[in-house]
Amino acid sequence: VRVGAYSIGVDLGGTNLRVAAATESGEILQKISVPTVLTGGPARVIDDMVDAIRALREEVASSDLRGIGVAVPGFVDVKAGVMVVCVNLPGFEGFPIRDEVQRRLGIPILLENDGNAAALGEKWIGAGKDVQDLALLTLGTGIGGGIIGDGKVQRGFLGMAGEIGHMTIYPDGNPCGCGNFGCLEKHASASAITAMANMMGIEARKLDSQELHTLALAGNEKAQMVFDAVGRALGIAIANLANLLNYPLFLLSGGPLAAWDQFAPSMFAEVNKRSFVFRDSRARIEKAILGSNAGLLGAAYLPFSEQAAAPVKTMAGRGL
Ligand SMILES: [Zn+2]
């Protein structure tokens, strides 16, 4: 099948390195997934990434590659094309990922934080495609996500904006690794759900959010109390976001979303109680729909986005 313009998205995770080719309308043409091999440091990971991108290009029947977006698990200095903070990939802090991949492929590369990329993916072809402004909260080990304003990723001056997981929900709440107390992710992430279930002594062993969900469905009151607390924490966070941003859409993703019916009632009660902006603007809280592909798709969207303009110009200026 002949295709026109396309882009390539890369999702560099601590476990898997995923690469996809997509058309301008968000249709996935080809996908490759390989394990991320961390033992050889950044050089090996970049080798594998370049190999995967080359293999993918051979599969696509088009010479019109517009650019490559790379989603990475750390704070990104977009101008420099490096991660300034990266906990999950040893040796990558300050490593010139963008310039190195660009040099080897001769194609413009755009680097983006994975949470921001996921939010961008949902805005492009996911649950947020009908809006220009949204915030995404991904409930996992912590709470990540991103903020899209006027169709663009909101990065802040050092790429550290959108840290919704570290918004203070309870001033004297659970201690967080960031130094704060009562961060949202200590009260509403998948890990927080397990910790709360453990603390309440619901069962002798550790339960994940799925098992706790099953118990709540079977009428276990303590399990339901955990989800009430999760909904309350999310409601407080989203009320603050709604008052601050007046966005029409707040998206949630991650494993605990399976228990939506258990936590959503307390979440909506809380956000409606606390935010007149949310109530009066009839903002929505919905499930994200792209799942674990959100970051990959957001990365593929980067070369097509209006934000692509600046870095491409930088590259031309270097005569690449
Ligand atoms: Zn924190």
Side-chain angles (χ1 to χ4, degrees):
V1 183
R2 278 224 30 99
V3 293
Y6 76 104
S7 70
I8 289 178
V10 179
D11 186 8
L12 173 57
T15 311
N16 290 307
L17 170 64
R18 298 189 300 152
V19 185
T23 65
E24 203 156 355
S25 54
E27 186 199 344
I28 299 281
L29 300 167
Q30 291 287 342
K31 255 201 298 198
I32 294 179
S33 179
V34 296
T36 308
V37 181
L38 293 172
T39 47
R44 169 68 197 268
V45 176
I46 298 298
D47 278 349
D48 291 348
M49 190 188 297
V50 168
D51 286 349
I53 291 168
R54 284 191 175 129
L56 198 70
R57 287 184 74 181
E58 282 175 18
E59 300 283 315
V60 178
S62 168
S63 55
D64 192 6
L65 175 57
R66 292 297 167 87
I68 299 170
V70 181
V72 291
F75 293 125
V76 173
D77 179 339
V78 171
K79 280 192 193 119
V82 301
M83 279 191 271
V84 287
V85 178
C86 176
V87 179
N88 296 329
L89 299 177
F92 268 88
E93 279 179 14
F95 185 86
I97 305 179
R98 183 195 60 201
D99 290 353
E100 187 56 23
V101 179
Q102 209 160 255
R103 185 182 65 77
R104 290 168 64 168
L105 293 172
I107 305 282
I109 308 291
L110 294 141
L111 211 58
E112 186 57 86
N113 165 267
D114 55 3
N116 289 345
L120 200 57
E122 292 289 344
K123 191 254 165 287
W124 185 30
I125 48 168
K129 66 181 178 191
D130 59 341
V131 299
Q132 281 296 302
D133 312 285
L134 67 85
L136 169 71
L137 288 73
T138 301
L139 316 184
T141 310
I143 293 186
I147 297 174
I148 306 296
D150 201 16
K152 296 179 199 142
V153 174
Q154 302 299 303
R155 303 189 177 103
F157 88 107
L158 278 180
M160 298 170 86
E163 280 303 299
I164 300 169
H166 298 282
M167 181 184 282
T168 303
I169 301 302
Y170 300 112
D172 303 306
N174 299 331
C176 181
C178 74
N180 188 21
F181 289 83
C183 287
L184 177 63
E185 71 174 36
K186 288 294 161 187
H187 294 271
S189 63
S191 306
I193 291 171
T194 297
M196 279 188 274
N198 210 26
M199 210 173 66
M200 290 179 77
I202 293 174
E203 272 188 24
R205 64 196 179 84
K206 281 197 170 183
L207 299 171
D208 62 24
S209 65
Q210 208 175 340
E211 292 168 315
L212 198 69
H213 180 212
T214 306
L215 283 175
L217 283 175
N220 185 306
E221 285 180 17
K222 282 184 176 175
Q224 182 53 50
M225 280 169 72
V226 171
F227 287 114
D228 288 343
V230 167
R232 186 155 189 249
L234 288 171
I236 294 170
I238 295 170
N240 287 331
L241 290 171
N243 286 351
L244 183 71
L245 300 167
N246 183 209
Y247 281 1
L249 184 62
F250 300 92
L251 294 175
L252 300 174
S253 69
L257 266 286
W260 175 270
D261 289 344
Q262 271 58 53
F263 71 77
S266 62
M267 176 179 73
F268 281 109
E270 204 67 32
V271 73
N272 278 305
K273 188 170 79 181
R274 289 182 187 266
S275 173
F276 71 97
V277 176
F278 184 87
R279 286 194 307 272
D280 294 353
S281 63
R282 294 195 188 88
R284 295 174 287 146
I285 307 173
E286 291 178 1
K287 298 178 194 178
I289 60 174
L290 299 179
S292 59
N293 283 329
L296 184 62
L297 289 166
Y301 178 62
L302 285 167
F304 293 129
S305 72
E306 42 187 312
Q307 275 173 311
V312 173
K313 231 183 270 169
T314 306
M315 192 174 136
R318 287 182 192 172
L320 286 170

